[in-house]
Amino acid sequence: MPDYTNRTFICSVLFLDLVEYSARSVTEQIRLKERFNAVLMHAITGVATDDRIILDTGDGAAVSFLGDPEDALFAGMSLRDAVAGEQELTGGGPRLQIRVGVNLGPVRLVKDINGQPNIIGDGINVAQRVMSFAEPGQILVSRSYYDVMVRLSEDYSKLFHYEGAKTDKHVREHEVYAIGAAPSSMRRTIPPPAPKLAMRLPSFRIPKLPKLNPQRWAAALQVNSKLLVAAPLAFTLVVGTGVIARSYRNSDGEVKPAAPKQAPAAAPKVEPPPIKVAAAEPTPPPKAQGPGVAGKGKETQAPSKAKRPARSSQAKSVPAARAREKEAASKARDPETAVATASSRDAMIHIVALPWAEVYVDGARQGVSPPLRSIPVKPGKHRVELRNSSFPSHIETVDVRSGAEINIRHRFRR
C-alpha cells in the first residue's frame, strides 16, 4: 500500500461489532472471531488493497474505504446477508450476530505503536456512535453518508429509512438511517475495478528450422570443400598480382623507365661541340680522367697534345668550371638535353634515391634526385656520391661500358 501517513481523507468508515462477544468464553470467542474474519474478507474481496484499511478492534473491526463510497454500502449488506445465512445453518454453538454502522467523514492516517497504518479522527468516531444505535443484524448510516448516496442513484434512496435523531453518551445528536433489504435488480452505479492482471512478458517464437536430409549432406559437403580450396587460391592470385605490380614500380609510385635502346643508333646523328661536352663533366685537378674525355672529343689532335691544354685551363680558371658545372646540371634536368648527351657518350646511370639526394659524379654536382633520374656519362670508371643532409652519404664506384646502363638505388636509413 502507498505511504499515506499523516494525511487527512474524507472516506467511508464501516464499523462492525460482534453482539455479546465479551460474554462468551475464550473458546467461543476464538470460534466466533475466525468465522467473522472469514465472512469479512469475503465481503471486501472486490475492493482493491490500496483502497482499504482494516483495523481489528477486538470485538469487531473498522474498515476505512479510501475509494468509492459504494464500497462500504455493498460490503455492509454482504456481511449482513452472510451472517444471517450462517445463523440458520449453525444449529448448536455460539450464534454469530453483528451490528453495523456507516459514516462518511474525515480521518487521518497515522502509524500505530507497531508501525502499522491506523486511522483516527471524527469519521471513525461517528461510525462507532452510529453502530451503537443499531440492533443485532441491522445497518445504520449517518446523515452525511445518506446525503451522498441518494445523490448517486434513485435506487439507493429506496434502501434507506429514516430512524430519527439519536443522542450518544457525549450528548451529540446523530440523524441515522436504516438500510433495508436490497432488491435483486439493484446494481452499482460504478462497477468495481477489475483485478490487476499480472504483467506478462511477450512470448517469443523460435522459428522452425528446415529439416535436413542426411542423404544430401554428402553433396553439400562436396560443394563446400571445393569452395574452401578455391577461395585461398583466388586470394593468393590477387595478392601475388599486386606484389608483382608493386615490385615493377619504383618507390615513388612511377613505372620504372625502360632502357633507351635507340640511344646508340642516334649517337652518330648528333655532333655537339667537343668543348661543351668536355665542360659538362668537370673533374678535379688530381683526376686524370677529365682531360682524357676532353681530348677524346678532338679526333684530329694527338692525345698527348690534348691533355696538356685541358689540365692547364682547368687549373687556371676555377670560376669558369663552376659556371660550366651549373650549365651541365641544368642540361641534365632537361630530358631533351639528357637524351642528346646520352647519345654522344654511349652510357647512362639511372639514379633512384629515397627520400632525396644530391647527386655527385666524379665530384661534380649533377642535381637533386628526384626529379633527376638519369645521368649520361662516358665509358669507364666513375665515382657516384649521393648526399642527404639528414643521413650519411652513399658512395658507389661503377665501371660502365659503351652503351651500358647502370641502376643505382639507395634508401637513406638511420
Side-chain angles (χ1 to χ4, degrees):
M1 178 179 179
D3 188 9
Y4 294 139
T5 308
N6 295 328
R7 292 187 59 185
T8 301
F9 295 89
I10 302 298
C11 58
S12 304
V13 181
L14 183 69
F15 206 97
L16 309 171
D17 179 64
L18 294 172
V19 179
E20 297 180 357
Y21 179 80
S22 301
R24 306 288 182 179
S25 63
V26 175
T27 304
E28 292 178 345
Q29 288 180 357
I30 294 174
R31 293 178 59 187
L32 286 174
K33 196 62 180 291
E34 290 177 352
R35 292 166 58 191
F36 171 76
N37 292 340
V39 173
L40 176 60
M41 295 307 297
H42 181 268
I44 62 175
T45 302
V47 182
T49 306
D50 295 345
D51 292 342
R52 55 181 168 85
I53 300 175
I54 304 175
L55 300 180
D56 192 343
T57 60
D59 58 349
V63 184
S64 177
F65 297 92
L66 306 178
D68 301 328
E70 295 171 300
D71 294 338
L73 174 64
F74 284 90
M77 291 190 298
S78 178
L79 278 168
R80 181 188 62 184
D81 299 340
V83 170
E86 281 200 359
Q87 288 176 354
E88 296 176 358
L89 298 174
T90 299
R95 300 177 61 182
L96 181 61
Q97 293 181 329
I98 61 173
R99 295 181 296 174
V100 183
V102 184
N103 178 47
L104 180 66
V107 297
R108 189 175 184 85
L109 271 65
V110 296
K111 291 290 184 70
D112 60 10
I113 193 172
N114 296 320
Q116 300 298 323
N118 196 354
I119 52 176
I120 59 174
D122 188 68
I124 190 172
N125 294 336
V126 173
Q128 183 182 14
R129 301 293 185 269
V130 173
M131 179 274 301
S132 64
F133 303 140
E135 299 294 333
Q138 187 181 26
I139 304 175
L140 295 181
V141 301
S142 65
R143 178 63 182 267
S144 61
Y145 187 79
Y146 168 79
D147 291 339
V148 172
M149 295 304 295
V150 296
R151 299 297 188 275
L152 295 178
S153 173
E154 294 181 359
D155 294 337
Y156 294 157
S157 63
K158 298 176 182 180
L159 292 176
F160 300 99
H161 303 282
Y162 182 66
E163 294 290 328
K166 306 291 184 179
T167 304
D168 60 15
K169 60 182 181 180
H170 299 290
V171 195
R172 181 179 177 181
E173 290 187 357
H174 303 277
E175 292 184 358
V176 296
Y177 294 81
I179 298 178
S184 59
S185 60
M186 189 180 69
R187 296 290 185 271
R188 291 172 60 108
T189 58
I190 301 176
K196 296 181 180 179
L197 300 177
M199 183 178 64
R200 296 181 180 179
L201 295 176
S203 59
F204 296 95
R205 295 183 180 180
I206 301 177
K208 295 183 180 179
L209 298 176
K211 295 183 180 180
L212 298 178
N213 188 358
Q215 297 178 357
R216 299 180 181 178
W217 289 359
L221 291 176
Q222 290 178 1
V223 175
N224 293 336
S225 62
K226 293 179 181 179
L227 293 177
L228 292 176
V229 174
L233 291 177
F235 178 76
T236 305
L237 180 61
V238 173
V239 174
T241 304
V243 172
I244 294 173
R246 185 179 180 85
S247 63
Y248 186 70
R249 294 171 175 269
N250 58 11
S251 57
D252 294 336
E254 299 180 359
V255 181
K256 296 180 180 179
K261 297 181 179 180
Q262 69 280 8
K269 297 180 182 180
V270 180
E271 295 181 1
I275 299 176
K276 293 184 179 180
V277 173
E281 247 183 36
T283 331
K287 300 286 182 176
Q289 201 168 341
V293 176
K296 191 174 182 179
K298 299 180 180 180
E299 298 178 357
T300 57
Q301 297 179 0
S304 59
K305 295 180 180 180
K307 290 180 182 179
R308 294 175 183 175
R311 187 179 295 115
S312 60
S313 61
Q314 291 179 3
K316 292 180 181 179
S317 180
V318 176
R322 292 182 181 177
R324 288 192 296 271
E325 178 183 351
K326 292 183 181 180
E327 182 180 358
S330 62
K331 290 181 180 180
R333 295 190 187 96
D334 188 1
E336 297 180 358
T337 307
V339 172
T341 310
S343 302
S344 61
R345 299 196 178 185
D346 300 334
M348 188 73 68
I349 298 177
H350 300 289
I351 304 296
V352 177
L354 293 177
W356 63 271
E358 290 182 300
V359 183
Y360 290 83
V361 176
D362 297 330
R365 186 179 184 277
Q366 303 297 324
V368 179
S369 176
L372 178 64
R373 291 188 177 88
S374 301
I375 301 174
V377 295
K378 279 292 185 176
K381 289 186 179 181
H382 298 278
R383 181 176 181 273
V384 181
E385 181 179 1
L386 305 181
R387 298 180 184 179
N388 190 307
S389 59
S390 301
F391 304 93
S393 299
H394 175 71
I395 301 174
E396 287 190 20
T397 302
V398 296
D399 187 2
V400 295
R401 298 178 182 179
S402 176
E405 293 185 3
I406 303 297
N407 294 327
I408 297 178
R409 298 182 180 87
H410 179 68
R411 181 189 293 273
F412 290 94
R413 292 190 176 92
R414 295 186 182 278

